[in-house]
Amino acid sequence: MAPPSPRPTLPPVTRKIASLRKQITAWRQAGDTIALVPTMGALHQGHLALVQSARKKADRVVVSIFVNPIQFGPSEDLSSYPRDEKDDRSKLAIHNVDLVFAPDVEEMFAGDFSTRVQVSELSDFLCGASRPGHFTGMATIVAKLLLQTLPDIAIFGEKDFQQLAIIRRMVRDLNIPVKILGHPLIREKSGLALSSRNRYFNEQEKLIAPELYASLRRAADALKQGGAKKENEIEAILAAARAQLIESGFRVDYLELRDSDSLQVIENLAAYKRKGGKAGARPKARLFVAAFLGKTRLIDNLALTFPAQKSRSKK
Ligand code: AMP
């Protein structure tokens, strides 16, 4: 019988910014490139897909685990947010992560911490409208993590599509010298987007939850199948999808159709398809949804892909 394969050793954890920087400096001096994957822990295959991608793109992979108090609203789940560092570390060991940065709240926020990074405009709608202060708290912590680590690349999931757009804008606006990469959303077989908050579901909610993605698929099909030629047709399709979600047991926060680059609302799909997306590029419309199932708030998004437009040949 073959001996059991040795268990991978757990990646080291640092809780101090100074020791993170010391390690990064040593790697830099050795000529290594560095990737950062910021997380709030309670890791699942969605997070690990980002880590795998980081592993392929850089010599050293740092994963941060920090449940950021300033991105939670007063009535949100900060105290109950799942935390399991031991389990997270063993998952990261399998992917050969070089370092886990898991600072305490006191290390990140001095008692008189008083600076905020606010990315206006992109933070004002979708999740920004229903979670006041959330994106400012998120942008502030991501700016700190990027400046503490100064990696070559940082990878974020398209599950949080608006978050990714805000981070890209912040990094551009503040000239933070880090390349931001997006990673496609990872789903369960049922279609449900993986999320640390899926652990909150009871048995009945587990059965209902995949309906969120199913509703996006149906709305996307209706929008693509020649529907939505007239202005109010998009709204009719979205309203039907919202009604289906409510019937399934969700409380809908929003369900909207927007451009993937600008995140602006698309009101007329035919005109949008003719005009193209940003700078006349191929249109990249996307459905965005947020809904509560019991006390759990879920988000999801789905790109609408259109067949390439026939180019008008000049005679
Ligand atoms: P969180 O721990 O929820 O803050 O997520 C950390 C990172 O993992 C963020 O960049 C998320 O967008 C990403 N992420 C979370 N869930 C998924 C998923 N299902 N697919 C892809 N990326 C994800």
Side-chain angles (χ1 to χ4, degrees):
M1 210 165 73
S5 51
R7 238 194 258 168
T9 40
L10 295 180
V13 183
T14 177
R15 307 203 184 274
K16 298 289 174 203
I17 297 160
S19 57
L20 168 74
R21 287 208 165 121
K22 204 168 153 200
Q23 179 61 83
I24 299 279
T25 305
W27 285 335
R28 288 272 178 230
Q29 280 166 355
D32 290 346
T33 55
I34 294 150
L36 173 69
V37 181
T39 80
M40 297 207 299
L43 302 180
H44 50 66
Q45 285 304 323
H47 297 111
L48 297 177
L50 272 58
V51 172
Q52 269 174 298
S53 165
R55 190 66 285 167
K56 287 190 200 131
K57 292 184 165 70
D59 302 315
R60 300 290 181 176
V61 177
V62 180
V63 174
S64 63
I65 299 179
F66 183 65
V67 182
N68 172 30
I70 67 166
Q71 71 183 65
F72 286 76
S75 59
E76 293 184 350
D77 55 345
L78 174 61
S79 59
S80 58
Y81 195 84
R83 291 161 170 91
D84 192 346
E85 190 180 295
K86 209 165 149 221
D87 185 58
D88 289 345
R89 274 176 81 201
S90 39
K91 285 175 179 157
L92 295 175
I94 297 166
H95 296 283
N96 290 322
V97 164
D98 295 284
L99 184 65
V100 173
F101 177 49
D104 297 328
V105 172
E106 295 71 32
E107 178 72 358
M108 291 302 246
F109 299 112
D112 56 354
F113 185 89
S114 49
T115 303
R116 291 287 186 281
V117 178
Q118 194 191 341
V119 182
S120 50
E121 200 192 320
L122 285 178
S123 302
D124 297 345
F125 45 80
L126 297 177
C127 287
S130 37
R131 301 184 68 190
H134 166 68
F135 283 132
T136 298
M138 180 282 294
T140 304
I141 202 69
V142 172
K144 281 170 69 69
L145 288 166
L146 294 178
L147 293 169
Q148 288 158 357
T149 314
L150 282 179
D152 297 277
I153 58 169
I155 306 187
F156 296 86
E158 290 187 350
K159 152 101 186 330
D160 300 272
F161 202 88
Q162 187 179 15
Q163 167 174 292
L164 176 58
I166 290 169
I167 291 167
R168 285 189 199 283
R169 180 73 60 89
M170 173 186 78
V171 163
R172 189 204 68 182
D173 287 355
L174 297 182
N175 310 105
I176 302 178
V178 175
K179 190 171 172 190
I180 301 298
L181 299 178
H183 190 284
L185 196 160
I186 307 295
R187 300 180 181 282
E188 280 182 2
K189 269 206 190 103
S190 67
L192 176 66
L194 288 173
S195 163
S196 304
R197 290 189 166 99
N198 293 355
R199 300 183 186 201
Y200 297 152
F201 294 142
N202 62 30
E203 288 307 311
Q204 199 201 356
E205 289 165 349
K206 268 185 208 159
L207 297 175
I208 301 171
E211 200 35 47
L212 192 67
Y213 177 58
S215 77
L216 284 186
R217 291 284 299 265
R218 285 193 297 268
D221 287 346
L223 288 164
K224 284 194 284 185
Q225 274 162 22
K229 285 209 177 82
K230 288 175 234 130
E231 213 144 295
N232 56 5
E233 225 160 340
I234 293 181
E235 191 37 47
I237 289 168
L238 297 182
R242 284 185 206 111
Q244 282 166 2
L245 283 172
I246 292 167
E247 204 167 308
S248 305
F250 289 90
R251 183 159 61 81
V252 181
D253 184 350
Y254 59 74
L255 172 58
E256 296 182 17
L257 181 68
R258 290 178 177 258
D259 176 63
S260 293
D261 290 320
S262 67
L263 297 189
Q264 292 304 302
V265 171
I266 299 168
E267 272 153 14
N268 182 322
L269 203 49
Y272 174 77
K273 279 161 68 178
R274 270 198 308 277
K275 198 163 75 81
K278 193 180 171 189
R282 191 150 166 203
K284 287 190 286 179
R286 190 172 287 266
L287 283 163
F288 293 88
V289 69
F292 285 88
L293 187 54
K295 286 189 180 145
T296 310
R297 186 173 185 277
L298 303 175
I299 58 171
D300 202 343
N301 66 83
L302 179 64
L304 266 75
T305 42
F306 302 108
Q309 299 272 7
K310 277 185 206 146
S311 59
R312 279 182 226 133
S313 57
K314 286 182 201 160
K315 288 208 174 148

